[in-house]
Short mmCIF file of all heavy atoms in Angstrom, two decimals:
data_model
loop_
_atom_site.label_atom_id
_atom_site.label_comp_id
_atom_site.label_asym_id
_atom_site.label_seq_id
_atom_site.Cartn_x
_atom_site.Cartn_y
_atom_site.Cartn_z
N ASN A 9 0.19 7.58 -0.57
CA ASN A 9 0.05 7.27 -1.95
C ASN A 9 -0.26 8.61 -2.71
O ASN A 9 -1.39 9.09 -2.57
CB ASN A 9 -1.05 6.30 -2.22
CG ASN A 9 -1.32 5.99 -3.76
OD1 ASN A 9 -0.62 6.44 -4.55
ND2 ASN A 9 -2.42 5.42 -3.97
N LYS A 11 -0.39 9.28 -5.73
CA LYS A 11 -1.07 9.11 -7.02
C LYS A 11 -0.53 10.09 -8.03
O LYS A 11 0.77 10.18 -8.15
CB LYS A 11 -2.67 9.38 -6.81
CG LYS A 11 -3.20 8.65 -5.66
CD LYS A 11 -4.64 8.56 -5.52
CE LYS A 11 -5.09 7.71 -4.35
NZ LYS A 11 -6.53 7.51 -4.37
N HIS A 94 -3.35 -1.40 -7.06
CA HIS A 94 -4.16 -0.38 -6.62
C HIS A 94 -5.59 -0.37 -7.45
O HIS A 94 -5.54 -0.71 -8.60
CB HIS A 94 -3.55 0.96 -6.69
CG HIS A 94 -4.34 1.95 -5.94
ND1 HIS A 94 -5.41 2.67 -6.50
CD2 HIS A 94 -4.28 2.48 -4.60
CE1 HIS A 94 -5.98 3.42 -5.67
NE2 HIS A 94 -5.23 3.39 -4.46
N GLU A 166 -8.32 -1.97 0.81
CA GLU A 166 -8.83 -0.69 0.43
C GLU A 166 -10.23 -0.92 -0.21
O GLU A 166 -10.28 -1.12 -1.45
CB GLU A 166 -7.89 0.06 -0.46
CG GLU A 166 -6.62 0.39 0.03
CD GLU A 166 -5.86 1.62 -0.73
OE1 GLU A 166 -5.85 1.56 -1.90
OE2 GLU A 166 -5.55 2.59 -0.03
N ALA A 170 -14.64 3.51 -0.58
CA ALA A 170 -14.02 4.44 0.39
C ALA A 170 -12.82 5.23 -0.18
O ALA A 170 -12.43 6.19 0.57
CB ALA A 170 -13.65 3.61 1.70
N ILE A 171 -12.34 4.88 -1.30
CA ILE A 171 -11.23 5.60 -1.85
C ILE A 171 -11.59 6.97 -2.45
O ILE A 171 -12.29 7.05 -3.43
CB ILE A 171 -10.47 4.79 -2.91
CG1 ILE A 171 -9.92 3.44 -2.16
CG2 ILE A 171 -9.26 5.48 -3.52
CD1 ILE A 171 -9.21 2.55 -3.13
N GLY A 172 -10.99 8.08 -1.80
CA GLY A 172 -11.22 9.38 -2.38
C GLY A 172 -12.60 9.88 -2.41
O GLY A 172 -13.06 10.91 -2.96
N GLY A 211 -8.45 4.17 2.44
CA GLY A 211 -9.71 4.69 1.92
C GLY A 211 -10.27 5.79 2.76
O GLY A 211 -10.81 5.48 3.85
N SER A 212 -9.88 7.05 2.40
CA SER A 212 -10.28 8.19 3.14
C SER A 212 -9.91 8.22 4.69
O SER A 212 -10.51 8.69 5.42
CB SER A 212 -11.83 8.39 3.08
OG SER A 212 -12.25 8.48 1.65
N LEU A 231 -2.80 3.13 4.11
CA LEU A 231 -2.31 3.58 2.91
C LEU A 231 -3.12 4.90 2.64
O LEU A 231 -4.42 4.72 2.56
CB LEU A 231 -2.50 2.55 1.78
CG LEU A 231 -2.03 2.89 0.37
CD1 LEU A 231 -0.45 3.31 0.52
CD2 LEU A 231 -2.23 1.75 -0.53
N ILE A 232 -2.51 6.01 2.56
CA ILE A 232 -3.24 7.25 2.67
C ILE A 232 -3.05 8.08 1.37
O ILE A 232 -1.99 8.36 1.01
CB ILE A 232 -2.73 8.01 3.81
CG1 ILE A 232 -3.12 7.26 5.16
CG2 ILE A 232 -3.45 9.42 3.79
CD1 ILE A 232 -2.03 6.78 5.91
N GLY A 233 -4.17 8.36 0.67
CA GLY A 233 -4.05 9.15 -0.61
C GLY A 233 -4.13 10.69 -0.19
O GLY A 233 -3.14 11.17 0.11
N GLY A 234 -5.31 11.27 -0.36
CA GLY A 234 -5.55 12.66 -0.09
C GLY A 234 -4.76 13.23 1.08
O GLY A 234 -4.07 14.32 0.84
P1 LIG B 301 -7.73 8.26 -0.18
O1 LIG B 301 -6.79 7.22 -1.16
O2 LIG B 301 -6.91 8.29 1.11
O3 LIG B 301 -7.57 9.49 -0.89
O4 LIG B 301 -9.06 7.62 -0.06
C1 LIG B 301 -6.33 6.03 -0.63
C2 LIG B 301 -5.68 5.19 -1.65
O5 LIG B 301 -6.22 5.18 -2.83
O6 LIG B 301 -4.69 4.51 -1.43
#
Side-chain angles (χ1 to χ4, degrees):
N9 173 11
K11 309 195 179 185
H94 191 278
E166 297 206 308
I171 296 178
S212 299
L231 182 56
I232 295 108

